[in-house]
């Protein structure tokens, strides 16, 4: 046996003995007062005094009702009860850009870290949804299939770097194709959504066919742009500004064939196009509240049943002591009613005598 609220057991241990002592003390005081007024045998001839046993029984019933009531408040539990649990959720696929341009620091501390912050903000508002992760640069792959395990997703998101993919380009078309494949086929696509977080650079592939796959599947893409239109220089692999490699003479930034520093800019038009053609939305992330509209739009999407199981719990048995407490109070009430009827009967007999 267990108790859902054991605090009332402490109250029980203190209140029941105290109540019994107070009631017994009151009974003893009443007897002492009667003894001081006159002999009980003599008083019994001219008035209807309650029997000593009946008074003790009434006291016992009141104390019993108090104790059982406190026991009911402690909610005793024993035996098992199966409670069905049904959980509904959406499928949210995060598509994260890991191309080298995501190391640009035109937003602090870098585009990639800003992208991760945006993803955490969106997913924090939908804690019950299933999440998956696609990463891409010059190629794309599904790094984490849809799961309810947010700790696993957080691990993969935290570990993602621009060094994870050997292809150094930026192929948004491959990312959209991989996203469409990750969703697979479904009879009801209303619960599915993709969140694309990128600087919008698309150096390879044509977006038309890949975006059409998501549009036909009914999957809206909410694009989050990270970076600025003015852009910034792309750090060289292993030789970002101020690094040890740069101090040793390695190039600080990537350079083109003419030796000019490569500047990467946020391509908002590309991201906005993907969002518009799939029925989603686009917003540039700057670390503020601008993601509110995206969160609201995702929250309005439908849900589907993703799990159904039974949870075994201890069954509440507070009804038993509560029923006994009520019975004790009813018994005490019947005793009091019986005393009143006998007193009325004795009074009538006295008046009827000549």
């Amino acid at each position: 046996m267990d108790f859902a609220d054991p605090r009332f057991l402490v109250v029980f241990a203190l209140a029941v003995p105290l109540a019994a002592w107070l009631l017994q003390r009151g009974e003893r005081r009443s007897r002492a007062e009667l003894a001081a007024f006159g002999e009980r045998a003599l008083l019994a001839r001219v008035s209807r005094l309650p029997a000593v046993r009946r008074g003790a029984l009434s006291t016992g019933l009141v104390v019993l009702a108090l104790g059982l009531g406190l026991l009911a408040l402690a909610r005793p539990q024993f035996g098992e009860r199966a409670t069905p649990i049904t959980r509904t959720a959406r499928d949210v696929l995060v598509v994260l850009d890991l191309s080298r341009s995501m190391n640009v620091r035109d937003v602090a501390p870098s585009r990639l870290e800003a992208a991760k912050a945006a993803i955490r903000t969106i997913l924090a508002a939908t804690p019950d949804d299933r999440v998956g992760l696609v990463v891409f640069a010059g190629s794309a792959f599904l790094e984490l299939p849809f799961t309810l395990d947010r700790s696993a997703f957080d691990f993969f998101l935290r570990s993602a770097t621009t060094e994870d993919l050997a292809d150094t380009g930026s192929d948004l078309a491959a990312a959209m194709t991989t996203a469409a494949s990750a969703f697979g086929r479904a009879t009801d696509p209303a619960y599915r959504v993709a969140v694309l977080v990128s600087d919008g650079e698309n150096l390879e592939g044509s977006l038309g066919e890949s975006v059409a796959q998501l549009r036909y599947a009914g999957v809206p893409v909410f694009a989050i742009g990270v970076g600025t239109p003015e852009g910034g220089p792309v750090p060289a692999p292993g030789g970002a500004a101020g690094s040890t490699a740069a101090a040793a003479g390695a190039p600080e930034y990537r350079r083109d064939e003419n030796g000019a520093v490569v500047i990467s800019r946020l391509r908002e038009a590309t991201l906005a196009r993907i969002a518009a053609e799939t029925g989603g939305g686009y917003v540039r992330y700057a670390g503020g509240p601008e993601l509110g509209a995206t969160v609201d739009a995702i929250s309005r999407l439908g849900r589907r049943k993703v799990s159904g199981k039974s949870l075994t719990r201890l069954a509440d048995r507070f009804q038993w002591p509560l029923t006994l407490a009520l019975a004790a109070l009813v018994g005490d009430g019947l005793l009091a009613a019986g005393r009143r009827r006998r007193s009325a009967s004795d009074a009538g007999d006295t008046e009827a005598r000549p």
Side-chain angles (χ1 to χ4, degrees), residues 6-340:
R7 295 174 298 176
F8 284 100
L9 296 180
V10 179
V11 180
F12 174 91
L14 297 175
V16 171
L18 179 61
W21 178 76
L22 289 175
L23 290 173
Q24 289 177 358
R25 182 183 178 187
E27 184 70 21
R28 287 195 298 268
R29 179 176 295 177
S30 297
R31 293 176 189 173
E33 291 174 352
L34 285 174
F37 186 76
E39 293 184 6
R40 185 178 183 87
L42 180 61
L43 292 173
R45 295 178 183 178
V46 297
S47 65
R48 188 67 180 177
L49 296 177
V52 175
R53 292 182 179 178
R54 192 171 290 113
L57 179 58
S58 177
T59 298
L61 288 174
V62 171
V63 173
L64 180 63
L66 174 63
L68 290 172
L70 291 172
L71 192 63
L73 289 174
R75 291 177 55 196
Q77 297 175 324
F78 59 90
E80 293 183 347
R81 180 183 62 187
T83 303
I85 296 177
T86 300
R87 184 174 181 179
T88 60
R90 309 174 191 87
D91 287 345
V92 181
L93 182 66
V94 175
V95 184
L96 177 60
D97 189 346
L98 293 183
S99 59
R100 296 293 190 268
S101 61
M102 293 296 285
N103 290 326
V104 175
R105 298 175 180 175
D106 52 351
V107 293
S110 70
R111 291 179 183 177
L112 180 57
E113 292 306 314
K116 292 180 179 181
I119 292 168
R120 293 188 182 102
T121 299
I122 293 174
L123 296 186
T126 58
D128 296 327
D129 290 345
R130 297 201 316 166
V131 290
L133 179 62
V134 167
V135 295
F136 74 96
S139 59
F141 69 94
L142 179 64
E143 184 161 340
L144 180 67
F146 289 109
T147 179
L148 290 169
D149 188 351
R150 288 298 178 92
S151 61
F153 181 88
D154 290 341
F155 172 79
F156 281 100
L157 180 64
R158 186 173 59 252
S159 303
T161 71
T162 58
E163 305 299 323
D164 293 347
L165 299 175
D167 297 329
T168 59
S170 183
D171 192 346
L172 274 170
M176 295 297 95
T177 299
T178 303
S181 299
F183 283 110
R185 295 181 179 180
T187 57
D188 181 11
Y191 56 83
R192 306 184 299 176
V193 60
V195 177
L196 169 63
V197 191
S198 170
D199 56 19
E201 286 194 344
N202 184 41
L203 306 179
E204 305 174 35
S206 175
L207 283 171
E209 184 177 349
S210 58
V211 173
Q213 294 180 36
L214 290 169
R215 182 174 67 251
Y216 294 149
V219 178
V221 177
F222 289 89
I224 312 299
V226 287
T228 63
E230 297 76 19
V234 180
S243 67
T244 303
E252 186 176 336
Y253 296 110
R254 293 179 65 90
R255 297 178 180 272
D256 60 18
E257 62 276 8
N258 298 320
V261 173
V262 175
I263 302 297
S264 172
R265 296 176 174 83
L266 172 62
R267 309 293 182 179
E268 292 188 284
T270 302
L271 298 175
R273 171 195 167 190
I274 295 173
E277 292 186 5
T278 57
Y282 168 75
V283 65
R284 185 199 305 180
Y285 178 67
E290 54 274 350
L291 294 177
T294 300
V295 170
D296 291 342
I298 294 176
S299 299
R300 288 193 295 268
L301 296 177
R303 293 172 176 266
R304 72 181 179 104
K305 182 179 178 181
V306 295
S307 64
K309 60 181 180 179
S310 294
L311 178 64
T312 301
R313 296 178 176 175
L314 291 175
D316 280 321
R317 305 297 183 185
F318 67 90
Q319 304 93 338
W320 296 3
L322 182 59
T323 301
L324 293 175
L326 293 175
L329 291 176
V330 170
D332 181 58
L334 292 176
L335 283 177
R339 288 196 297 269
R340 287 193 295 270

